[in-house]
Each structure stands twice: as C-alpha cells, then as structure tokens.
Amino acid sequence: MTRSPLDRSEIPAPSGIPRYAAVIFDFGGVLTTPMDDTARCFAREVGLPDDAYRHAVAVHPTGRKLYAQLERGEISQAEWNTGIAALLGIDSTNLMGRALATLRPEETVVAAAAAIRAAGLRTAILSNSMGLTPHNPYAPWALDTCHDVVVFSEQHRLRKPEPEIYELTLDLLGLSGPECVFVDDNSVNLVPAEKLGMTTIHATDPALTVARLQRLVPHQQ
C-alpha cells in the first residue's frame, strides 16, 4: 500500500524532544483562498468561459512558459500581463492585479501559522512569485512581519520544484530538512522537499491542513 506524506510524517519523535523547528508554507492556495476559484471569477468578469484564464496560464504551452519566466524573474510582471492578455484577447492593463482581485486570506491557515510561530517554531514562506510590481499580491499578508524567512522565486532566479530553492530556504532558516514541515497545494512541489527529509502536507482543504499541522506541531489558536 502506498503511504501518503502524512502517514510518513506521523512517526513519533523521542519522548520530550520536539521533532520540528519550523514550518515552511507555500503562499497561493495555502495562505490564500483557492487559486482556481480566483481564476474562474476573473474569467467570468471579463466574459470568458470559466476555465479560460486558468487554461491560458497553466495549460497552454505559451502561457506556461510565460509563467515559468515570471517565476524565475526572467520577465517582468508587465511583460507577463502583455503576453497572457494576447493569449486571451483581453486588455493587459494591470492584468495580474485584476486576475487576483478576489484572492483572500485563508484565515484558518493564516491563524495556524501565527499560532505555530507564537509557540516558538519558526515559519517561512516559499512561493513561486507572481511578480511584485506593478501589482504586489503579497502586500495584504505582511509576510515579512509575520514570518521569519520569505523566499520569492523571482528574487533568486529559481522556482519550485527546483531543489535548489528548497535548499536555499533551509539555509536561510539555518535548519536541516528533517527539522521542517513543508505545506504546498501542488503535489509536484512536495517531492523535492521529501527528498531533503522534510515532512510534507498536501494542502487540499484548509480544515485538513490545520488538523495535520496540529497533529505534527501542536499549537493553540
């Protein structure tokens, strides 16, 4: 029987010894409401089929290439706006900002992250960047204030699931993989973390994510 990352993570630590020192969170779809919901809302707003925007950025070969280039900092958000708008046949003005207009904090997970940090563990953000200018999608979350380490892919010319960006995050935390829990909504991004010894949580539902965090790193919310 194939065991899930959660099964693997629940091996108890020796009595009295904290097993983990940090939790590393993805941003979109973990600390936020689902990205697919936001994509559908935007498509409807501009009069396109529900799946049109998501298809353009996540499935269409040109759109996927543009997103990878944005995440690595090889193109600007403005250039991404122009390229994706051309695929969709819509206005490019502040496209990223308009597309993310309905994105909101996933309050239960945000609260769990704060409680984990208050309990004495370190917290970090490891996010494939959506660009920082002209629209900064991260600003409402005050990530630099709320977390010990923040890694945006574009600033390091790396992106998940490239192993080097996970190693960089561990280096900035001053920790090893087995000392960390990693949370991401994309299962592909969990694989390099597991290879580095991290315990992983596939964030498919906020309530389940919080319950799994509570099991691994007990905290008071």
Side-chain angles (χ1 to χ4, degrees):
M1 181 176 67
T2 301
R3 301 188 70 184
S4 70
L6 179 59
D7 293 329
R8 191 170 147 252
S9 73
E10 290 178 346
I11 302 169
S15 178
I17 301 176
R19 180 156 184 219
Y20 302 106
V23 180
I24 304 168
F25 294 89
D26 176 37
F27 177 73
V30 175
L31 295 182
T32 79
T33 48
M35 300 295 289
D36 284 355
D37 290 355
T38 298
R40 283 189 287 270
C41 286
F42 175 65
R44 292 171 195 151
E45 180 186 320
V46 295
L48 295 172
D50 280 6
D51 66 346
Y53 174 71
R54 184 186 181 283
H55 185 275
V57 300
V59 179
H60 193 287
T62 300
R64 286 172 58 88
K65 181 179 179 181
L66 285 168
Y67 226 126
Q69 290 175 317
L70 176 67
E71 289 170 339
R72 284 201 188 92
E74 296 172 353
I75 63 172
S76 67
Q77 190 185 85
E79 290 172 307
W80 180 90
N81 288 344
T82 299
I84 295 297
L87 286 180
L88 292 169
I90 61 175
D91 178 20
S92 68
T93 304
N94 190 30
L95 178 56
M96 184 66 81
R98 289 157 47 216
L100 298 178
T102 59
L103 197 67
R104 296 290 182 269
E106 191 58 72
E107 298 289 0
T108 56
V109 181
V110 171
I116 287 166
R117 195 173 186 222
L121 280 76
R122 306 184 77 195
T123 61
I125 301 299
L126 173 53
S127 176
N128 277 350
S129 183
M130 295 178 279
L132 300 172
T133 60
H135 174 71
N136 184 349
Y138 306 98
W141 280 258
L143 298 178
D144 287 327
T145 300
C146 297
H147 301 277
D148 298 285
V149 167
V150 178
V151 175
F152 295 135
S153 61
E154 69 172 278
Q155 296 175 331
H156 303 280
R157 299 301 175 100
L158 297 165
R159 64 190 283 266
K160 294 179 291 184
E162 294 167 3
E164 293 83 1
I165 199 165
Y166 299 80
E167 293 167 353
L168 170 67
T169 305
L170 291 173
D171 287 345
L172 292 171
L173 284 167
L175 297 170
S176 66
E179 295 177 282
C180 299
V181 176
F182 177 66
V183 188
D184 202 297
D185 64 325
N186 186 341
S187 61
V188 171
N189 292 336
L190 302 178
V191 177
E194 291 173 358
K195 288 181 177 178
L196 288 168
M198 295 188 221
T199 292
T200 59
I201 295 175
H202 188 195
T204 58
D205 173 84
L208 288 175
T209 297
V210 171
R212 291 170 181 174
L213 284 168
Q214 183 65 256
R215 192 176 296 118
L216 293 169
V217 283
H219 56 276
Q220 296 294 321
Q221 286 186 244

